[in-house]
Amino acid sequence: MAEELSIAQGVEKAQKYEQLLPQIEGLISGESNMIANLANVSAALKQTFNFWWVGFYLVEGEELVLGPFQGPIACTRIKPGKGVCGTSYSEKKTLIVEDVDKFPGHIACSADSRSEIVVPVIKDGQVLMVIDVDSEQLANFDEVDQRYLEELAQMIANRA
Ligand code: SME
């Protein structure tokens, strides 16, 4: 396993994702422990994009519980249908929020968060967890992030 990520600087984010995803695959393919893998995936995304907050909420019973992440401390439990994460979980789909203040029920774990993307990790029709990424800039996420984070979600589902 490569111990260091190699990502070109000064390139567009799609190119960064293109470089990052195979390296993440290499990182997680040799390890069966999901928490270890999610911890490294969080770190790899943080290191590459310097996201404000990036991590996972894991499905436990009927609710989401905070998993491995990078960034400021966060709320630990989210009910289905609540906030961006709980809505993505309930609706089993990716949500891009350009301005969190305009999302009804947004859960403000950090007052500095301005935009957000949440991607469910789905296996056999069941949501196992969600990937949550927050930015301190408005409208920081678009269909490029969606495309590659959904690819990442599939990669994680395949290891689950
Ligand atoms: N803002 C999220 C809660 C999680 S934090 O952003 C880390 C939401 O509305 O679901």
Side-chain angles (χ1 to χ4, degrees):
M1 182 194 85
E3 299 287 349
E4 269 181 43
L5 292 176
S6 164
I7 309 289
Q9 297 303 306
V11 296
E12 288 185 8
K13 71 179 169 185
Q15 287 172 276
K16 288 191 178 181
Y17 279 114
E18 291 278 353
Q19 293 174 48
L20 179 62
L21 289 189
Q23 294 182 64
I24 287 184
E25 188 148 43
L27 258 178
I28 68 176
S29 62
E31 175 54 61
S32 61
N33 185 283
M34 183 57 81
I35 296 296
N37 284 336
L38 299 182
N40 260 342
V41 171
S42 303
L45 288 166
K46 175 79 173 176
Q47 221 179 300
T48 302
F49 296 104
N50 198 24
F51 291 133
W52 174 249
W53 195 96
V54 51
F56 295 87
Y57 279 91
L58 312 177
V59 175
E60 192 183 275
E62 282 298 300
E63 59 185 4
L64 295 169
V65 183
L66 183 63
F69 71 96
Q70 298 264 315
I73 57 169
C75 43
T76 53
R77 285 175 190 268
I78 299 175
K79 300 251 185 249
K82 298 291 177 194
V84 188
C85 291
T87 306
S88 168
Y89 168 36
S90 299
E91 296 184 358
K92 297 187 179 181
K93 66 171 197 200
T94 296
L95 293 178
I96 295 175
V97 178
E98 296 198 338
D99 181 349
V100 296
D101 290 336
K102 295 194 175 127
F103 187 91
H106 169 256
I107 301 165
C109 289
S110 160
D112 293 314
S113 176
R114 290 276 164 274
S115 59
E116 181 163 1
I117 183 170
V118 180
V119 179
V121 175
I122 300 171
K123 182 161 188 155
D124 302 329
Q126 300 261 75
V127 179
L128 304 179
M129 64 190 83
V130 299
I131 307 171
D132 181 17
V133 190
D134 289 32
S135 170
E136 71 280 47
Q137 291 153 37
L138 281 171
N140 196 41
F141 303 106
D142 57 21
E143 60 288 342
V144 172
D145 301 280
Q146 174 168 1
R147 176 185 159 195
Y148 289 104
L149 291 174
E150 286 179 351
E151 213 176 290
L152 174 63
Q154 190 55 56
M155 205 187 278
I156 292 167
N158 292 342
R159 297 284 309 158

